[in-house]
Structures are given as C-alpha cells and as structure tokens.
Amino acid sequence: MPVITCIEDLKRLHRRRTPRMFYDYAESGSWTEQTFRDNSTDFEKIRLRQRVAVDMAGRSTAGTMIGQDVAMPVALAPVGMTGMQRADGEIKAARAAEKFGVPFTLSTMSICSIEDVAAHTEKPFWFQVYTLKDDDFMKRLFARAKAANCSALVITVDLQVMGQRHKDIKNGLSAPPKLTLASMLDLATKIGWGLEMLGTRRRFFGNIVGHARGVSDPSSLSTWIAEAFDPSLDWDRIREFRSWWDGPVILKGILDAEDARRAAEVGADAIVVSNHGGRQLDGALSSIRVLPSILDAVGDRIEVHLDSGIRTGQDVLKALAMGAKATYVGRAFVNGLGAMGEAGVTRALEVIHRELDTSMALCGERDVADLGRHNLLVPRDFEGDWA
Ligand code: GLV
C-alpha cells in the first residue's frame, strides 16, 4: 500500500494507472485553461491567521448541507464518466462517501445508472440533472431519481453547450474507449484498469443509453451534449423543474450576483458558486473571487455552496471562512478513485479532513461553524475592481 500524504500523491497514481483519455478528461479546463488555473492560484493568494494558546480540544468539522448532516461540509461533486476512471467508479465513490458521512452526487452522464448506485448503497445520494431536449426522458429521469430515494436534485445550469477541452478531442474521448493504435498502446500500460473493466458490464452512459433517443454516437460525451442537450434552458424551465421535485433543489453553476438572485426567486434551496472547474467559460473569474459578491446578493436568503479549485482541506477552510456554507470536490476524489478505487476515495476524504481539522486548530478554532473572515488574511484587492 503506497504512503499517501496528500491529494498530489493520489493524482500521480491516478495518472499512472488510468488510461490517458480519462485522466486528461478529469484534469483539463477549457481552451487556454486560464479559469482552471485561477481557481487554484486565487485560493493560494488567501493566507491564514495563526492563533496560539487557544484550547483546541474537542474539535468538530460536522455540520449540515441543505439540512442534512455531514461529517464535514465537503460533498462529492457530480463528475461525468466517473465509472471510466475505474470500473464501477460511481458505486465505489458513493460507498466511500456514505461511509465517511458526506453527500455523493451522481452525474446524469455517469456510467453506473441511478438504479445501480441505489442498489449498491445504503444511504440516499444526490442526483445531478442535465437537461435533455427529450421531455419524456426528463420526466422519467426525475421519477427514476425519486424511485431511487435520492435526497436532493442538483440542477447544473452552466452547460447548455459544452466548453472545448482540447485534449478530449485529440484523445478521441469515448466510453468505452475506441480502439485505435494510440489508445491500444496506452491501454497496454494500464492492465489493471483493463482487467477490472472486463469484469464489469458497466461501460456505457448508464442513465441515458437505452433511455434517451436521437444521438448518433452514444459513446461520446460531446456528441450527447451537442445533439441531445437542450440549449433553450431558461429560468422558466428551471422553475418547472423545481415544481416537478418535492425535495431540496440545488442550482449548480452560478457565477454572477444577478443569476444568484434569480436562483433564489425560483425557489432553489441552495446554489453552488461554480465555474464548472474551469471547464466551461474560459476567462470567467474564479469561484472564490466572486463568492463575496454573491453572498452580498443572496447570502441571507439561500444556502451558498462553492466548488471549483478545492484541492485541499485548507481550500475548504478558506471557502468556509469567506462565507460559503459548504464545498464540493471533484478532481480530488477522482484522483483517489483512479489511484486506488474505493480506498482511494476514502483516503482523499481523510486527507482533506485532516488538513481542514489541523488548520482549523492552528487558526484557533474548534468548530467549522465558527470559521470567518477573522481567520483569513485576504489581499485588499482580492475581488478585483472590474468595470
Ligand atoms: C461535464 O459535466 C463535463 O464537465 O465534462
């Protein structure tokens, strides 16, 4: 068992053990990757305020997200094709999350289906919704999530069209991988991955292949999005979705105060301040930079969560201290999954938890709920003066 001390260790193993097209899929941003990079470098600009001689016994990272108990305010974000990073990947990640006590969010573009994940887990998970043009499919999707006892819907609102990630095109990303000379040479060095994949029947987009119509290449994520996704999604349609679901609804992909107000008006329970991990609009600001303006607009009316750029427990601490109620990790748990399967996701969560807990202690705090701007040193021009 390799010694894992940080998410970077898992990332190195992920890269070594997983076919290149899937590793690259997870680790890419769109176009120049400026926003993808800013998501991390903006977290680095914020520093922590050390305090001493404060009683640090009996610390707690526990809290709630949309009224549900969590061991720490860190949910697993919806990540497409997680079941290609490792065989049965969504089931493995969901199991690790439920044992750890944090929410798992299943993507519409997952490999394991909603029913499959429900059959292999004990606790309710969250389901992320992408909007396809096929209305019957959408109604059935909501009904399937309800039948699977999903305890929240996460509606992604920033991907009616897909941001271009160069490597996915160059690698010919597909699920399962198409056999070309380049992919076969790569797969020859990923034998463990291949053997596990041969042992599962879950190798296609489990929520949509066989359920949705009208796609010329059902193995390609970009073809699904270009041909089947509904580019006309608007606030009326989101309001309609809200009325179809009688449980909590989270709107993911808000990056603007005006959109945050609209999200509060349509009756969402929470928003995720997110630029989709820098995978959609390259050139947009980092999530952590826009967070203060969104909190000013809606912080007293709706729960405000944050994703994009969270790689460590210190990033979690910074986001919470800046005012987010909770955070999400995508790549960090996928690194764990690609490195070591379910045990790797557990390890990723343990690493983040320890980093959060230790940093909290050294900042003189015993409870995540008490974190605030007083724990941070934030450059005066951090948010920027944009015209
Ligand atoms: C899908 O959500 C993606 O970012 O690839």
Side-chain angles (χ1 to χ4, degrees):
M1 187 83 153
V3 178
I4 303 294
T5 60
C6 56
I7 298 296
E8 280 297 313
D9 289 343
L10 292 168
K11 185 168 157 181
R12 269 191 295 276
L13 286 176
H14 177 199
R15 182 173 196 171
R16 204 180 301 152
R17 296 180 176 173
T18 306
R20 182 171 167 172
M21 70 170 70
F22 302 120
Y23 175 83
D24 282 351
Y25 169 68
E27 288 300 327
S28 294
S30 54
W31 285 324
T32 69
E33 302 194 330
Q34 178 186 47
T35 300
F36 171 64
R37 287 189 300 276
D38 283 357
N39 282 336
S40 298
T41 51
D42 283 347
F43 267 110
E44 285 165 16
K45 288 179 189 141
I46 300 173
R47 303 294 160 87
L48 303 175
R49 188 166 161 224
Q50 172 178 301
R51 301 301 306 278
V52 298
V54 181
D55 179 0
M56 292 167 189
R59 293 185 306 282
S60 169
T61 60
T64 59
M65 289 174 78
I66 51 161
Q68 301 176 17
D69 290 333
V70 292
M72 62 177 172
V74 182
L76 301 199
V79 179
M81 305 177 110
T82 294
M84 279 290 126
Q85 301 292 351
R86 193 88 179 200
D88 306 331
E90 288 90 1
I91 293 174
K92 288 174 180 157
R95 282 188 171 159
E98 75 176 6
K99 286 182 202 145
F100 203 91
V102 293
F104 170 76
T105 319
L106 182 71
S107 166
T108 297
M109 304 307 285
S110 59
I111 303 298
C112 304
S113 68
I114 314 178
E115 292 77 9
D116 233 355
V117 176
H120 291 88
T121 49
E122 307 280 320
K123 295 188 196 151
F125 54 94
W126 296 354
F127 184 65
Q128 176 267 346
V129 173
Y130 273 132
T131 326
L132 275 67
K133 289 176 199 148
D134 179 347
D135 211 46
D136 287 344
F137 171 81
M138 290 312 294
K139 292 210 171 96
R140 272 183 284 119
L141 193 65
F142 275 60
R144 289 168 63 196
K146 188 49 67 187
N149 201 22
C150 292
S151 56
L153 272 198
V154 178
I155 304 178
T156 301
V157 292
D158 63 358
L159 198 142
Q160 282 135 291
V161 295
M162 194 176 185
Q164 177 173 312
R165 303 110 195 209
H166 301 313
K167 288 184 196 147
D168 294 350
I169 299 174
K170 292 184 170 116
N171 289 334
L173 177 73
S174 70
K178 293 197 175 77
L179 295 181
T180 61
L181 184 60
S183 72
M184 282 194 296
L185 286 175
D186 181 42
L187 286 175
T189 65
K190 312 286 163 35
I191 299 294
W193 179 93
L195 290 175
E196 275 192 11
M197 264 312 155
L198 287 175
T200 183
R201 61 191 160 75
R202 304 181 186 99
R203 294 195 288 264
F204 305 91
F205 290 104
N207 289 326
I208 47 184
V209 171
H211 295 274
R213 294 179 291 271
V215 167
S216 51
D217 177 4
S219 69
S220 159
L221 182 76
S222 55
T223 306
W224 273 109
I225 292 174
E227 294 179 7
F229 275 37
D230 182 4
S232 69
L233 175 73
D234 61 10
W235 287 105
D236 287 338
R237 183 71 162 152
I238 294 170
R239 200 183 294 277
E240 192 181 3
F241 288 151
R242 167 69 281 192
S243 73
W244 289 1
W245 183 259
D246 56 8
V249 166
I250 301 169
L251 296 187
K252 173 173 172 291
I254 303 289
L255 212 56
D256 186 274
E258 191 46 45
D259 289 337
R261 285 191 201 97
R262 301 295 295 267
E265 279 161 25
V266 297
D269 298 270
I271 55 171
V272 188
V273 177
S274 166
N275 53 39
H276 213 107
R279 301 163 70 77
Q280 284 295 99
L281 181 62
D282 190 35
L285 291 178
S286 67
S287 300
I288 192 67
R289 244 190 211 212
V290 299
L291 177 67
S293 62
I294 290 183
L295 286 166
D296 284 349
V298 296
D300 53 347
R301 290 157 67 193
I302 193 167
E303 262 186 42
V304 177
H305 302 172
L306 178 138
D307 80 14
S308 305
I310 305 270
R311 304 282 188 279
T312 69
Q314 292 211 330
D315 297 334
V316 174
L317 186 154
K318 290 173 184 175
L320 299 177
M322 290 286 279
K325 164 91 175 159
T327 61
Y328 295 71
V329 284
R331 295 182 179 94
F333 93 79
V334 168
N335 291 154
L337 180 71
M340 292 157 55
E342 180 180 334
V345 179
T346 302
R347 194 71 197 108
L349 290 169
E350 285 167 355
V351 163
I352 289 170
H353 182 264
R354 168 158 308 205
E355 290 166 344
L356 170 61
D357 178 61
T358 305
S359 307
M360 203 168 82
L362 296 173
C363 287
E365 298 291 352
R366 284 189 298 190
D367 194 324
V368 268
D370 296 333
L371 292 169
R373 282 294 276 258
H374 60 280
N375 301 117
L376 302 178
L377 298 164
V378 184
R380 281 190 214 293
D381 59 350
F382 181 67
E383 286 172 59
D385 187 13
W386 307 94

